[in-house]
Amino acid sequence: MKLLFSFLCLVVLLSGCRWKETETAEPLELLPDSVTSPIVARFKNATNITGYALEKDRIWAARFQSEGHNYSSVLTKDKLLSTAMLSTEFPDSLKPDLKNLAINGGVFSNLQKLETEGIFNAWQYKCDYLWHGDTYLLSWKRDGSSLTVNMIPDCKFEYKSYSIAQLPVKIQIFLAARNKELGVLVSEEYTVKIDPQGKKLYAMNVNYLGYGTVLDLLFDDNGDLVATGPFNYAPYIVDNGNKPAKPVDDLSLINLPDNMMKKLTSRPGMDGFVKTQSLFAVWKSVYSGVTSYSASFSKGNESFSYRLNPAGELLTMRYFGSKVTL
């Protein structure tokens, strides 16, 4: 059967600017009309448009006012990649949404309402979330009585882009070489995360031809590959009888080193979570000279997913939960 798989969820629940209403980290300057035209096209009364470059001459972060509200956006010269309405107030009505979830009990701040991509006037939410002494980026949406929640480590910006040409040149060269070498088809869509210190992670999916799979690549701020999906699992692809083509004979592929497992299972909120029931719930990925580990743990409709480097350092973390609300 065709296997669709990616340890790093690149199609995030929400994608948007994480520019807090109270912060002034980078020096702001008035942006030229050639950059701000996507904002003006969407917000006819936009004023005081200032910002700075996230990727030189390619992608910008902007702040502006419209109709009495403060907004932030990430954009190219041709398109708004994300838009958020900034707020310093957090409605009490939203706080019960996390009741009975593993991540309940934190402190909310810096609420943002995010405009859903491609659908004007459809809004979802993001905020800072102080939980067990660390700050996270919490995002959630309601669809009728259904609630879905995502949480990742603190992130100043998180946005999608839709053009490989917007990537750093080093990453473009890597992708071009692998396309020729392996016959992979790289998706034009990718996600960029920028942490509070300004360091970036670039994450994208590739269609790995010949195995019917969707795998992921993760690059750091220098454009170096730091983690991948399991390109090395080809011998174990599930066949039409829903069984592995052969047993996993190298147990190091499906078991985390003890120090990594202890580190993950002792993290906040992990009580009652067990390794997800999947052949690839834990996997040691080796590709292009880079080794990384992925692990997924679940409990009911909640899950924690992690990516680590060989030193056991956490590269990515994501919580996902869903429930029915009254």
Side-chain angles (χ1 to χ4, degrees):
M1 78 185 215
K2 183 176 181 180
L3 182 62
L4 180 64
F5 185 87
S6 174
F7 281 113
L8 178 63
C9 181
L10 300 185
V11 183
V12 295
L13 172 66
L14 295 173
S15 176
C17 180
R18 191 70 205 118
W19 205 340
K20 302 172 188 177
E21 168 67 9
T22 55
E23 78 176 17
T24 55
E26 298 286 342
L28 304 180
E29 59 183 29
L30 291 174
L31 297 177
D33 293 344
S34 60
V35 173
T36 62
S37 55
I39 294 176
V40 176
R42 169 66 183 92
F43 298 88
K44 305 299 184 184
N45 299 319
T47 59
N48 301 322
I49 305 175
T50 60
Y52 63 95
L54 295 174
E55 298 283 355
K56 186 178 179 181
D57 298 327
R58 297 195 299 269
I59 299 177
W60 291 263
R63 297 185 70 161
F64 61 94
Q65 287 82 45
S66 180
E67 305 291 343
H69 296 288
N70 293 322
Y71 291 87
S72 65
S73 286
V74 175
L75 68 155
T76 67
K77 290 183 178 180
D78 304 313
K79 182 176 183 178
L80 289 175
L81 302 180
S82 68
T83 302
M85 180 190 296
L86 305 180
S87 174
T88 56
E89 299 180 359
F90 197 96
D92 289 338
S93 61
L94 296 176
K95 295 179 181 179
D97 280 350
L98 300 189
K99 186 178 180 181
N100 298 326
L101 294 181
I103 60 172
N104 189 33
V107 178
F108 302 85
S109 63
N110 295 311
L111 178 69
Q112 294 191 27
K113 294 174 66 177
L114 287 111
E115 190 172 49
T116 303
E117 294 180 35
I119 308 175
F120 294 152
N121 301 319
W123 295 92
Q124 300 166 348
Y125 295 95
K126 276 191 176 183
C127 72
D128 285 339
Y129 191 59
L130 182 62
W131 186 62
H132 289 277
D134 292 316
T135 299
Y136 295 86
L137 174 58
L138 186 71
S139 56
W140 73 102
K141 70 174 182 178
R142 287 178 178 174
D143 182 6
S145 61
S146 177
L147 171 74
T148 52
V149 180
N150 269 263
M151 187 178 78
I152 62 175
D154 195 12
C155 182
K156 184 178 179 182
F157 292 100
E158 182 186 30
Y159 61 91
K160 290 182 183 178
S161 187
Y162 301 87
S163 171
I164 296 299
Q166 303 290 349
L167 284 166
V169 173
K170 188 174 183 179
I171 299 178
Q172 293 184 48
I173 292 172
F174 179 95
L175 295 176
R178 281 2 179 239
N179 272 339
K180 295 176 182 177
E181 173 189 318
L182 296 176
V184 299
L185 177 61
V186 179
S187 170
E188 289 291 304
E189 178 182 302
Y190 60 92
T191 301
V192 181
K193 294 182 178 67
I194 305 178
D195 71 15
Q197 288 72 47
K199 292 185 178 180
K200 299 169 185 170
L201 280 176
Y202 302 88
M204 64 200 63
N205 284 339
V206 298
N207 294 305
Y208 191 29
L209 302 184
Y211 296 109
T213 61
V214 178
L215 303 176
D216 59 285
L217 301 172
L218 185 68
F219 298 87
D220 67 12
D221 195 54
N222 297 317
D224 293 321
L225 184 69
V226 293
T228 74
F231 285 88
N232 57 321
Y233 74 166
Y236 315 106
I237 291 294
V238 176
D239 66 16
N240 288 331
N242 295 322
K243 297 180 180 179
K246 77 169 194 173
V248 180
D249 46 10
D250 181 357
L251 296 183
S252 72
L253 292 174
I254 56 173
N255 290 288
L256 286 178
D258 290 343
N259 65 315
M260 294 187 190
M261 181 63 77
K262 183 177 179 180
K263 178 178 182 177
L264 295 183
T265 55
S266 63
R267 285 179 59 86
M270 286 289 290
D271 290 346
F273 280 75
V274 297
K275 194 164 64 173
T276 301
Q277 296 301 305
S278 166
L279 177 62
F280 304 108
V282 170
W283 192 262
K284 176 184 177 181
S285 296
V286 181
Y287 175 68
S288 194
V290 173
T291 297
S292 58
Y293 294 85
S294 300
S296 178
F297 302 85
S298 59
K299 181 178 71 172
N301 293 326
E302 301 176 86
S303 65
F304 283 99
S305 299
Y306 303 98
R307 177 66 59 77
L308 304 97
N309 65 17
E313 297 169 332
L314 203 61
L315 297 173
T316 65
M317 166 267 177
R318 183 177 294 276
Y319 163 87
F320 175 81
S322 65
K323 70 175 187 177
V324 174
T325 61
L326 298 179

